[in-house]
Amino acid sequence: MMRMNLVLLLGVVLSALYLVNVQYESRRLFSELDRARAQAHKLEVDHERLQVEKRAQATSARIEGLAKSRLQMRPANPAITAYVAYTPGATGPADAVAAANPVSMGRVK
């Protein structure tokens, strides 16, 4: 009878220790899950912010302003447009430019 009581006592103590360990592990995993959810929310907010910044950077007015200021570009108009015409005897790009603008290459039509 004494032996049976010791075995039962040992079983109760071991199951109590196991229960404490499982509860500790459960709390640890829950807090880790909470941290992961918070990080996922933060990443989602950052993604939304970056999407808004991307749309703001790609506006046509901003791109036009950068083209004017940094690249010194200007709108095309007929006064500054050079038209290139196809000539059957042209052998390369220089001949095509010369055919389109005879003064620049020293030729006159």
Side-chain angles (χ1 to χ4, degrees), residues 10-71:
L10 182 63
V12 168
V13 168
L14 287 176
S15 67
L17 289 174
Y18 180 72
L19 179 65
V20 168
N21 187 29
V22 167
Q23 285 179 340
Y24 171 76
E25 187 69 19
S26 174
R27 287 183 185 127
R28 188 185 66 78
L29 289 174
F30 183 77
S31 66
E32 189 175 322
L33 176 65
D34 193 38
R35 276 192 301 259
R37 283 182 180 161
Q39 184 180 12
H41 179 69
K42 180 180 177 257
L43 289 173
E44 193 173 306
V45 168
D46 283 346
H47 182 264
E48 289 296 321
R49 181 183 55 81
L50 289 172
Q51 290 295 324
V52 168
E53 283 183 24
K54 180 180 166 185
R55 284 191 294 270
Q57 294 289 327
T59 60
S60 60
R62 181 181 179 281
I63 293 171
E64 185 177 343
L66 286 174
K68 285 179 181 177
S69 65
R70 288 191 182 170
L71 302 175

